[in-house]
Structures are given as C-alpha cells and as structure tokens.
Amino acid sequence: DVLVKSHAMSTTLSKAENYNLLSLGSAYQSADANSSSTAEAIARGIDGGTGGDIITAAGNYHISADTLVESTSRSSTATGFAAGENVQESQSQAGTVSDALAIGIDGGEGSDTITSTANLTVTTFSNADTEATSSSNTGFNIAGSSSAESVAGATSNVIARGIGIRGGESLLDVDESDVDVITNEGTISVTTSVTAATDSKSTADSITFIGKAEGTAVSDASATVLANGTGIDGGADDDTITSNNTISVTTTANAAVKSTSNADSYATFGGASSMGVSDASANVLAEAMGISGGAGNDVITSSALIGVEAQSVGSVEATSNVNANVTFGGASSEAASDASVVKKGSATGIDGGE
C-alpha cells in the first residue's frame, strides 16, 4: 500500500489600537491593521515529472492534501473626552489563500503510458476563516466637530482539487506534445471539499455636545471557492483513455460571507450625519467529472460505472445600521447594503474536451 499525506496550516493576526483618554484640544487618531495568510498543500502518489514515462501501478493508494488558513485583522481608535476637533479613523484588511491539490498518479509533462490496476483513493480539503473588524469612537466631545470613520475588508480565495489519474498538463507550449495512453483497471475514488467563512464588521460612533457629529462605516466581504474533482484527466493533446473499473467523484463547495456596518452620531446642539455601507459577495463552484479528455482529439472507452456528484452551498448577508440623533439641530442618515452570490454545481460523467 502507498499512503501519502500533505498538510499545510497558516495563521496570522494583526492588531492596531490607538487610545486617548483625554484631549484638551484637537485629537487626530488613526489605526491600520492588515493581515494576509496563505497555505498550499500538494500530494502525489506517483509523479512522472518531465519527459515521456512508462508508469505501471498496482496495490492500494491513499493520497490526501488539506489546508487550514486563518487571517484576523482588528483595528480600533477611541478618545475618552475631548474639547476641540476630534477625528478618529480605523481600517482593517484581512485576506486568505488556501489551495490543496492531490493526485493519485501524475504523468507530468511529456507523452506517457500509464497502466494502473491500483485502487486509488484521493481526498482534498481546503478551509479558510477570514475576519476583519474595525472600530472608531470619538468619545464625548464637549465643543467642536467630531468625526469617526471605520473601514473593514475581508477576502477569501479557497481551492481544492483532486485527480485520480492525470496524463499531463491542460496547457501546452508551442511545439510541445503530450500524447498519453492511459489504461485503468482499478477503482478510483475522488473526494474534494472546500469551506470558507468570511466576515467583516465596521463600527463608527461620534458624539459631540456643541458642534457637528459625523459617523461613517464601510464594510466589504467576498469569497471565491472552488472544489474540483476528476477521476481520469488526459490533459492536453491527443490521448487514449480506457477505463474498466468504477470511478466515483464527489465535490462540495461551501461559503458563508457576512458584512456588517454600524454608524451612529449624536449631537446636542448642532448637526449629526451617519452613513453605513456594506457589501457581501460569494462565488461558489463545485465541479465533478468522471473522465476528461482535455484538449485535443481523444479516444475514450469506459466499460464500468461512473458516479459523479457536485454540491454548491453559499450564504451571504449584508447589513447596514445607521442612526443620527440631534436634540437641537438637523440630522441626516444613509444606509446601503448589497448581497450577491453565484452558486454552480457541475457534474459530468465523460467529457471529450475541446
């Protein structure tokens, strides 16, 4: 038996804090936090590398690759008491990239002859947790304008790919050939799954006794997730693929994206204005394919059961909460939120390709 496991894990945390308890004049404070995290895991049972290879495989192969990524970014500014102009600004950005690839038998570059009686079990899992939080608070300003601005952004890019047998790459250079002959007599099982949790939250609070209070909160969260699984992939060029045993491919892609903005402004004498903007989006794709010829003129023969299943799941939420309150004076508030999701599940038994 052959057992191959690849595991990659990455965790990052960024924090920025700027606090001022008392200011008897103008107060200008800012905090910026940026965090990015990347993990890549690759596992291969057999790798032909470059050149033309003759590969013969038998026995039981268990190939797995998994990635776990976390990125957290937090920023905050605050003043306790001020007597004068008060400006608070905070920004947080968090990003993740998680990529897992597992291949049972990889012919690599060049024209290969692959004969397999092996039972191939290929599993990939890719996960990312991304969080960005920002907060700005002017505290209590007795006389003077108060302004609080908070911006938070979180992005995730998560991929899991699993292939039982691959003849070669999907793209060729000019004058390069990759004509593969693949014969499969063993069972092939491919399972790929992707999960992403992406969250951004911004909060702005502005308070003044005499003067103008302004609060602005902007939040954005987005995720792109892909789960791709293929039993046999011929790759580019003219390939001959023969499969005489069962092929099972299951892919699952799941994303949860949430964006929240909270803006509040309060003034006793003067004016108050608040604006909250939130945007949340997700692109969720699950692809399952039994046999793929890829580009070129291929000959594909299959005499056994091929079972493929693709599942795409996504939840997206965008919320903006605003409040502007004035005892003596005028107030204005504006809230905008947008949530969008694209989900696609594609399952194909045999695809001849282009």
Side-chain angles (χ1 to χ4, degrees):
D1 290 0
V2 176
L3 177 63
V4 179
K5 293 183 178 181
S6 178
H7 175 73
M9 181 176 179
S10 177
T11 302
T12 58
L13 170 63
S14 177
K15 295 176 64 177
E17 298 175 343
N18 192 339
Y19 299 141
N20 183 6
L21 181 62
L22 176 63
S23 177
L24 298 179
S26 299
Y28 299 93
Q29 294 173 243
S30 65
D32 294 321
N34 297 281
S35 174
S36 63
S37 186
T38 301
E40 181 182 21
I42 300 175
R44 292 182 175 92
I46 297 176
D47 186 6
T50 59
D53 306 299
I54 298 175
I55 299 174
T56 302
N60 299 309
Y61 285 67
H62 299 272
I63 315 300
S64 65
D66 63 86
T67 52
L68 300 173
V69 181
E70 293 182 1
S71 178
T72 304
S73 179
R74 297 170 183 163
S75 64
S76 60
T77 66
T79 295
F81 180 85
E85 184 181 8
N86 190 343
V87 178
Q88 304 290 314
E89 297 177 349
S90 64
Q91 176 177 281
S92 293
Q93 298 291 332
T96 53
V97 177
S98 183
D99 192 347
L101 169 64
I103 304 174
I105 301 172
D106 191 359
E109 299 178 8
S111 299
D112 309 304
T113 300
I114 302 173
T115 303
S116 173
T117 60
N119 299 314
L120 304 175
T121 301
V122 178
T123 305
T124 59
F125 174 72
S126 187
N127 176 78
D129 291 323
T130 313
E131 179 185 346
T133 305
S134 65
S135 174
S136 295
N137 192 322
T138 65
F140 181 75
N141 190 0
I142 190 170
S145 63
S146 292
S147 173
E149 179 179 303
S150 176
V151 178
T155 59
S156 300
N157 190 353
V158 193
I159 302 173
R161 294 167 292 165
I163 304 171
I165 301 174
R166 183 170 74 171
E169 298 291 339
S170 58
L171 297 175
L172 297 177
D173 294 332
V174 179
D175 298 328
E176 184 180 11
S177 63
D178 193 344
V179 179
D180 303 305
V181 178
I182 301 173
T183 303
N184 175 59
E185 301 288 345
T187 62
I188 297 176
S189 175
V190 177
T191 304
T192 67
S193 59
V194 172
T195 60
T198 310
D199 187 11
S200 67
K201 183 178 181 180
S202 60
T203 302
D205 293 298
S206 178
I207 304 174
T208 187
F209 183 69
I210 301 174
K212 184 177 181 180
E214 296 179 331
T216 303
V218 178
S219 181
D220 179 80
S222 63
T224 299
V225 300
L226 168 63
N228 181 278
T230 305
I232 301 176
D233 184 4
D237 222 332
D238 304 337
D239 306 307
T240 301
I241 301 173
T242 303
S243 180
N244 297 317
N245 213 326
T246 60
I247 297 175
S248 174
V249 180
T250 303
T251 62
T252 304
N254 191 341
V257 180
K258 184 177 182 180
S259 176
T260 306
S261 63
N262 302 297
D264 296 284
S265 59
Y266 303 92
T268 303
F269 298 94
S273 64
S274 297
M275 182 175 68
V277 179
S278 62
D279 184 270
S281 62
N283 191 354
V284 189
L285 177 60
E287 299 175 326
M289 191 171 299
I291 300 176
S292 172
N297 299 317
D298 307 303
V299 178
I300 301 174
T301 303
S302 175
S303 61
L305 176 66
I306 296 177
V308 292
E309 181 181 353
Q311 183 179 16
S312 175
V313 181
S315 64
V316 175
E317 180 181 345
T319 305
S320 294
N321 302 305
V322 297
N323 182 38
N325 193 346
V326 177
T327 304
F328 301 98
S332 65
S333 62
E334 181 180 356
S337 62
D338 182 76
S340 62
V341 60
V342 176
K343 297 184 289 182
K344 181 180 179 181
S346 174
T348 305
I350 299 175
D351 185 6
E354 299 178 357

